[in-house]
Amino acid sequence: SEAEWAEGWLTEREWVLFSRMRPADRSHSIAVARAVEAHLAPEGTPQHWVIAAALLHDVGKTVPDLGTYGRVVATISGSVGGADMADVWADTTGFTRKVGLYLKYPELGADLLAVAGSDDRVVAWAREHHLPEEDWTVPAEEGRLLAAADDGRL
């Protein structure tokens, strides 16, 4: 199964985090990882961290645990209020707090992965996957591949 395939790329602690993701997020992450795997250089074995990064890049979305409607509201709110509002909203309560946390999901995911002992590049990609390429700390070639797969360009 796809879940068994994904589990084979992750440590036990990473698998626990992956398993907490919503089904749609797990499916998306597996699709991203499969696309990355298909486009890695055919010579040699795939770099383990790249597949793990593809599978775990959205793991921070588990923290606020917003449903579809809440995610739409959060995305629109972030567009209107700007990134600076994430900190303000995250310090409130209730739904507004969840919106603020959702807007910070890359950072939250990186923190979860760091605590889980993930490869530094997996942690970095979770934090950086929405940043411009010049702000990445992961190797550019792998970052471009991960970004293209995440954006559905592969």
Side-chain angles (χ1 to χ4, degrees):
S1 76
E2 290 294 294
E4 290 170 333
W5 176 85
E7 186 176 9
W9 290 101
L10 303 174
T11 67
E12 258 184 68
R13 294 164 97 188
E14 289 171 337
W15 176 248
V16 168
L17 294 175
F18 182 84
S19 298
R20 291 181 185 156
M21 293 170 65
R22 290 181 168 267
D25 292 330
R26 287 193 309 263
S27 293
H28 163 71
S29 293
I30 288 171
V32 170
R34 286 289 199 180
V36 165
E37 181 186 46
H39 287 82
L40 283 170
E43 67 279 345
T45 57
Q47 293 188 45
H48 187 272
W49 78 267
V50 181
I51 302 296
L55 289 168
L56 296 166
H57 69 282
D58 283 340
V59 75
K61 291 180 180 182
T62 62
V63 175
D65 194 31
L66 283 175
T68 304
Y69 170 75
R71 289 177 178 203
V72 170
V73 170
T75 302
I76 293 169
S77 298
S79 296
V80 172
D84 296 338
M85 290 306 296
D87 288 329
V88 173
W89 290 330
D91 284 338
T92 61
T93 59
F95 181 74
T96 307
R97 175 174 170 72
K98 286 186 172 192
V99 167
L101 290 173
Y102 184 82
L103 294 173
K104 296 173 69 142
Y105 88 82
E107 180 182 329
L108 297 171
D111 290 347
L112 290 171
L113 293 167
V115 169
S118 295
D119 183 293
D120 289 343
R121 295 164 294 187
V122 174
V123 174
W125 188 247
R127 180 176 289 114
E128 299 167 3
H129 72 277
H130 287 297
L131 297 179
E133 183 176 336
E134 57 269 14
D135 294 335
W136 296 345
T137 61
V138 299
E141 184 177 347
E142 286 85 353
R144 284 187 210 107
L145 180 61
L146 286 159
D150 191 25
D151 294 344
R153 293 182 279 123
L154 291 183

